[in-house]
Amino acid sequence: MKAVAKEPKSLSPEQALRKLFLTVFLRGQSGRGLTKETTPKNIFTKMWTMLGVYTVMGVMSLFAITQPVLVLSTYQHGLTFFMLGTLIASTAGEMLFNKEESEILMHRPVTPEMLLRAKGFVLIQVTLVFALALNLAGMVAEAVFGDGGVLYPVIHLISMSLEALFCTGLIVLTYQLCLKWFGREKLDSIMTSFQVLITVGFMLGSQLMPRAMINRGTGLNVVFDAWYFKILPPMWFASIDDAVVGTHSTDSIIFSGVGIAVTGLIGYLAFMKLGKVYEQGLQTLGESTEAKPRQIRQFRLLEKISRSFPVNIFLKDPIARSSFQLVGSYMARDRDTKLRLYPSIASMMIMPVVMLINHQTSSSSYHYTRVPGGVDHVAQTNSVITSIFVGMAGSYLCIVPLMALNLIKYSQQWRAAELFLAAPIPGPGPLVKGARVAVVTLITIPMVTLVTVGIWALAGLDAVPMILIGVIALPAYTYLPTLSGNAVPLSNPIEEGKRAQNGPIMMLGMFGSFGLAGLAAVAKNYDLFIPFLLVETLISLGICLLVRAQEKKMDWRRYD
Amino acid sequence: MVSVQNLTKQFGYQVAVNKLSFDVPEGQILGFLGPNGAGKTTTLKMLTGMIMPTSGTAKICGYDLIQQSMDVKRSIGFVPDSGAVFESLTGLEHLEMVASLYGIPLTTALPRIEQFLSFFDLSMDVLKNKMLGAYSKGMRRKVVITAALLHNPPVVMFDEPLEGLDANASVGFKALIQSLAKEGKVIIYSSHILDVVEKVCDRVIIIDKGNLLVDGTPEQLIAFNNSGSLEKLFTDLTGGSGLEQRAETFAKTFLP
């Protein structure tokens, strides 16, 4: 028998675009260091570590397995909503507006609506995989032990898909409304501000909602009597599950209808109706723009800062000073840098603040019976917990420069960093130093000030010294990126930042800051806070000197 | 075939292209020249539908640039000066994707790709297995040119197409665009390499600061302005005269 040769499969333009954006998502924009054999073939092989973390996080929902379907489902949908929202908010900007992509595609017969739908499809596909990981434990457990039975996973999968569409549509719609209301010229700055706001909103929501659910009830008897639960989207999607495999109540049927209708409306507005607005955004990327007077003033201001006391002490080397100005300008002007930097920092900083607010709220709601002349153990315990939370908020500050320096290594214009290799600079040390001073001066110091004021307001003046544990460790943390090897600013393609190599340093930094907070709280409890600070100062100084010596010796070999 | 009417583009207060009008008939190679920042790339981007004109319009193959933008895009091939490609795709994946966007079945696209491969001396193995990010600039440019011509468009616009191409590929490319013009295609060729433009183009337009300066055949323009060469004409018109003298003074006064 004669073998029939397999004919290559032709794709429609829509299918080709979906395949393209999924491939670019999996492989990244630059493909540096990738070969056909080593490229990730699907979302699972690309993101298995993150999917693993999401699956483990999903195990938390098991606390609600003995509760009615609505409770478990609301918890799962709440968690999914906020996790997916944060994920999409941090990736959508880069995916939706890419300058190189518009150079390749905008002169071809594809409509902006087609591009938008293909990108939306890929975003939903990716978010669904993450949603599945996050909901897996709860779905399986409910099918086996819960009231929902075997139908629960099926219905939950449907409501989860709707939720993924809702989240993606909502964020795409936000961008389009920004474009429509504020115009193309302001797109860059508005997009950054909105992305920070969306991320902070999702982070706040993910922290506050589960606590609100539990705090409002008695123990684990979660109640939904508050009016605001009903306007929260996760509740609508949970109502779908409850309407089919739960109580079948009229409320659930109504809210499922609301969820389906709102999702449909958002999908229609985001991917169909406002497609023309998206076209304007893409065209903006193709237009050349002059530097605005504000941007020129920013650069001059950076120059002035770099030559002013006390910053000039650290920037005596002209290469470090240039690096300071370069990094500062990117942090102020470059859309891609701003979109990655500020939402990440905002999401990191919001967590300790939420923890502190939450602790303050819950501790103020306790009613103690004081024994005259007795030891107030409750007050003492409360003070230790406050110390830990304030310490955590303070030590979390260390993560800010660490994260910023890690992010500033990546840029869409990474090839321009070849200039550093061509210039007569013996090694990357001064460039790294300039970036470090820029991050500390322009981001970290304002952040420390903000957090100090916040803690003063929330926990009182007595708690403020706890911030010192973070402030003292800060210099050592700013040297950590040097240990990862490649710390030259703006010299790596952005997708390399998404790969795992930065993970260990960040994890080390985070665990280190948590450990510091705990140790400091214990030291404070035993009246050893000042010796603790002295020891910490010595260790921090030691690390700085050691890594600094190492940094000075660094050469370009690993950058060849 | 291409008719441009009062095409204007303004970025804020800056007029990048100012009421540009010209026609290009079938089979003509039009050299589109101008100094840096003259508005050449902006004009080409408007004609390809990549950016919207502030005012004015154009007709390409009878289709209105604004009202029938999809038909216009189907009728043109464009090689942008950036030479941008999806670097994480292999050359073949990129070309297959482009073919799909024009609705060309792969059974038709693959033989065409092979034709281009043999014309440009590219190996199918490299095209299949190597990511575009790892290609040399010249190889990447060949893929971009292939992607612009794959759907056999009646109008082709090139923005600095020779950048990165080696001498052999450049010679081959010049012969290719002349052959394409003989087949009736319109070629709009924007470049800074003036002797190539002089040899290859039937007609030349020079613009500066968004305004049309001259329009005619290279011979007419050179004779009319008594310049002797297109390069001399270009420098005279765009304020580049006395460059040799300026270079000499610069080298002498350049501080160490």
Side-chain angles (χ1 to χ4, degrees):
Chain A
M1 213 166 78
K2 209 174 160 184
V4 181
K6 201 179 162 192
E7 208 168 87
K9 198 184 160 206
S10 298
L11 301 174
S12 68
E14 286 83 0
Q15 287 171 322
L17 287 174
R18 288 202 292 265
K19 186 181 169 189
L20 167 73
F21 293 128
L22 183 61
T23 311
V24 172
F25 174 82
L26 294 174
R27 296 180 189 173
Q29 291 282 350
S30 87
R32 189 169 81 153
L34 285 181
T35 62
K36 190 109 189 273
E37 291 72 38
T38 58
T39 54
K41 302 286 181 285
N42 53 49
I43 301 165
F44 294 98
T45 49
K46 160 106 180 171
M47 315 231 107
W48 64 271
T49 329
M50 221 168 142
L51 287 172
V53 173
Y54 271 57
T55 311
V56 173
M57 280 174 74
V59 174
M60 285 194 296
S61 65
L62 296 185
F63 88 88
I65 219 69
T66 52
Q67 303 282 320
V69 167
L70 186 64
V71 174
L72 170 70
S73 184
T74 306
Y75 184 82
Q76 284 192 304
H77 277 294
L79 192 63
T80 309
F81 182 73
F82 295 117
M83 295 304 288
L84 292 194
T86 315
L87 182 78
I88 305 168
S90 61
T91 52
E94 186 193 319
M95 195 175 198
L96 291 173
F97 300 100
N98 182 289
K99 192 176 177 183
E100 290 226 319
E101 176 201 293
S102 48
E103 290 264 305
I104 306 167
L105 294 176
M106 284 295 282
H107 57 89
R108 305 201 187 274
V110 285
T111 59
E113 288 88 349
M114 277 163 71
L115 287 175
L116 192 59
R117 279 198 293 272
K119 288 176 184 182
F121 183 85
V122 172
L123 274 174
I124 292 169
Q125 215 177 330
V126 172
T127 48
L128 257 180
V129 173
F130 279 100
L132 190 66
L134 205 54
N135 287 270
L136 192 67
M139 287 197 305
V140 172
E142 182 68 10
V144 179
F145 307 109
D147 300 335
V150 285
L151 251 184
Y152 181 80
V154 180
I155 298 302
H156 191 68
L157 212 58
I158 295 170
S159 58
M160 208 170 71
S161 307
L162 274 173
E163 193 175 24
L165 174 64
F166 177 87
C167 287
T168 312
L170 189 66
I171 285 163
V172 172
L173 185 64
T174 309
Y175 280 124
Q176 287 171 329
L177 291 177
C178 282
L179 266 166
K180 196 174 164 68
W181 291 334
F182 303 105
R184 292 184 276 171
E185 291 75 19
K186 290 183 180 165
L187 175 70
D188 273 14
S189 53
I190 296 283
M191 257 172 60
T192 316
S193 313
F194 263 81
Q195 196 159 351
V196 174
L197 279 176
I198 290 172
T199 312
V200 171
F202 277 114
M203 287 299 293
L204 266 174
S206 66
Q207 291 298 314
L208 295 177
M209 193 185 159
R211 287 172 171 83
M213 277 172 68
I214 295 163
N215 284 346
R216 289 192 60 81
T218 317
L220 285 179
N221 290 322
V222 182
V223 287
F224 298 104
D225 56 348
W227 62 269
Y228 56 80
F229 273 120
K230 303 208 164 63
I231 57 158
L232 293 174
M235 185 75 180
W236 307 335
F237 300 107
S239 296
I240 298 176
D241 297 354
D242 190 54
V244 182
V245 292
T247 59
H248 319 292
S249 71
T250 319
D251 267 11
S252 290
I253 294 167
I254 292 170
F255 284 116
S256 347
V258 171
I260 294 166
V262 173
T263 306
L265 182 69
I266 284 180
Y268 167 72
L269 288 174
F271 297 111
M272 322 262 288
K273 177 91 176 152
L274 293 174
K276 206 75 193 154
V277 181
Y278 179 60
E279 184 177 19
Q280 288 176 7
L282 288 180
Q283 287 186 340
T284 311
L285 299 175
E287 291 179 357
S288 53
T289 47
E290 280 189 326
K292 298 179 182 79
R294 180 175 50 89
Q295 292 176 323
I296 295 164
R297 279 199 304 274
Q298 274 168 355
F299 196 79
R300 293 287 153 246
L301 181 68
L302 284 169
E303 197 181 6
K304 215 172 165 185
I305 295 172
S306 72
R307 291 178 189 279
S308 310
F309 180 79
V311 181
N312 60 357
I313 299 173
F314 304 98
L315 296 175
K316 282 179 188 151
D317 185 335
I319 301 165
R321 198 162 52 238
S322 302
S323 171
F324 171 89
Q325 279 171 249
L326 178 72
V327 170
S329 315
Y330 263 73
M331 290 193 309
R333 286 183 194 172
D334 184 55
R335 181 175 61 89
D336 163 64
T337 306
K338 289 195 287 182
L339 284 181
R340 283 179 298 113
L341 191 63
Y342 299 115
S344 308
I345 291 173
S347 62
M348 291 298 285
M349 287 316 298
I350 205 78
M351 279 171 76
V353 175
V354 168
M355 282 189 267
L356 199 62
I357 293 171
N358 215 46
H359 168 65
Q360 293 300 116
T361 322
S362 56
S363 58
S364 64
S365 65
Y366 295 140
H367 300 287
Y368 307 124
T369 313
R370 291 173 192 274
V371 182
V375 179
D376 195 342
H377 288 293
V378 179
Q380 200 177 6
T381 313
N382 209 28
S383 146
V384 173
I385 295 171
T386 304
S387 292
I388 293 176
F389 280 128
V390 174
M392 270 167 71
S395 62
Y396 235 67
L397 284 170
C398 305
I399 310 286
V400 173
L402 181 63
M403 177 174 264
L405 284 165
N406 262 324
L407 290 170
I408 211 78
K409 289 189 318 196
Y410 306 98
S411 165
Q412 282 186 347
Q413 293 93 42
W414 59 278
R415 281 195 190 84
E418 281 178 1
L419 177 76
F420 304 145
L421 286 169
I425 308 171
L431 295 164
V432 179
K433 187 179 178 185
R436 182 167 52 239
V437 179
V439 162
V440 171
T441 314
L442 306 172
I443 296 182
T444 316
I445 291 176
M447 203 61 105
V448 171
T449 316
L450 246 165
V451 171
T452 308
V453 172
I455 285 173
W456 188 352
L458 287 168
L461 194 59
D462 289 350
V464 170
M466 283 300 281
I467 296 173
L468 280 176
I469 60 167
V471 174
I472 292 169
L474 251 170
Y477 270 77
T478 61
Y479 278 95
L480 282 183
T482 310
L483 293 177
S484 71
N486 188 352
V488 175
L490 314 168
S491 66
N492 300 279
I494 43 174
E495 59 274 13
E496 283 184 14
K498 294 170 193 157
R499 293 181 198 154
Q501 72 257 35
N502 293 313
I505 297 267
M506 280 304 293
M507 291 295 255
L508 185 78
M510 279 176 78
F511 286 127
S513 70
F514 283 137
L516 261 179
L519 283 174
V522 173
K524 198 176 179 216
N525 199 34
Y526 288 100
D527 289 331
L528 292 169
F529 189 59
I530 292 181
F532 174 84
L533 289 182
L534 285 173
V535 174
E536 190 195 349
T537 308
L538 284 175
I539 295 173
S540 177
L541 201 66
I543 293 174
C544 288
L545 291 173
L546 271 173
V547 186
R548 204 177 133 197
Q550 181 76 17
E551 195 177 90
K552 278 186 174 167
K553 280 189 262 169
M554 274 165 69
D555 59 24
W556 287 112
R557 260 173 299 180
R558 69 179 75 200
Y559 296 92
D560 290 344
Chain B
M1 200 91 138
V2 175
S3 173
V4 180
Q5 295 300 321
N6 291 318
L7 204 63
T8 302
K9 183 69 193 180
Q10 226 170 316
F11 297 118
Y13 296 112
Q14 189 202 352
V15 182
V17 177
N18 189 20
K19 294 181 181 168
L20 199 62
S21 298
F22 59 87
D23 292 300
V24 195
E26 208 172 290
Q28 191 171 74
I29 306 178
L30 173 76
F32 197 55
L33 307 181
N36 295 331
K40 301 184 300 292
T41 300
T42 305
T43 306
L44 292 184
K45 280 188 175 176
M46 282 192 282
L47 291 178
T48 53
M50 291 173 76
I51 57 175
M52 283 291 279
T54 309
S55 63
T57 190
K59 275 192 186 290
I60 290 172
C61 300
Y63 298 118
D64 185 85
L65 182 64
I66 295 153
Q67 305 300 325
Q68 296 161 295
S69 62
M70 280 301 113
D71 294 311
V72 166
K73 287 179 178 185
R74 265 183 218 105
S75 312
I76 56 161
F78 180 48
V79 176
D81 63 337
S82 67
V85 285
F86 289 107
E87 294 185 6
S88 57
L89 263 57
T90 66
L92 188 63
E93 285 170 342
H94 182 81
L95 292 173
E96 283 179 356
M97 180 272 296
V98 170
S100 302
L101 297 184
Y102 290 92
I104 309 169
L106 282 188
T107 42
T108 314
L110 284 173
R112 285 190 197 174
I113 292 170
E114 277 165 13
Q115 253 182 301
F116 277 106
L117 285 187
S118 100
F119 179 76
F120 281 127
D121 280 331
L122 278 174
S123 114
M124 189 52 143
D125 257 7
V126 172
L127 205 70
K128 253 186 194 167
N129 299 314
K130 217 170 165 183
M131 302 295 172
L132 278 164
Y135 283 28
S136 69
K137 205 173 177 182
M139 277 165 68
R140 210 185 291 192
R141 183 63 69 168
K142 288 173 185 175
V143 172
V144 174
I145 294 171
T146 307
L149 297 172
L150 201 58
H151 58 294
N152 200 13
V155 178
V156 194
M157 301 183 204
F158 296 101
D159 197 358
E160 294 296 349
L162 296 183
E163 215 180 282
L165 291 185
D166 60 31
N168 287 339
S170 299
V171 171
F173 175 75
K174 283 180 267 179
L176 176 72
I177 58 168
Q178 283 174 319
S179 312
L180 291 173
K182 274 184 198 149
E183 297 296 314
K185 290 186 194 306
V186 165
I187 311 283
I188 300 180
Y189 185 97
S190 169
S191 176
H192 289 294
I193 311 172
L194 298 180
D195 50 345
V196 175
V197 174
E198 197 175 334
K199 277 181 204 152
V200 168
C201 297
D202 307 317
R203 185 176 146 210
V204 172
I205 281 179
I206 302 180
I207 63 167
D208 192 15
K209 298 186 183 84
N211 294 301
L212 196 144
L213 298 180
V214 288
D215 179 354
T217 65
E219 297 77 22
Q220 277 173 345
L221 295 178
I222 294 164
F224 186 72
N225 288 275
N226 223 358
S227 314
S229 72
L230 191 61
E231 190 178 89
K232 180 80 173 52
L233 170 73
F234 183 86
T235 51
D236 285 349
L237 286 173
T238 58
S241 51
L243 277 173
E244 290 88 352
Q245 184 61 43
R246 276 157 66 184
E248 213 170 295
T249 316
F250 172 79
K252 279 179 186 160
T253 55
F254 190 60
L255 296 170

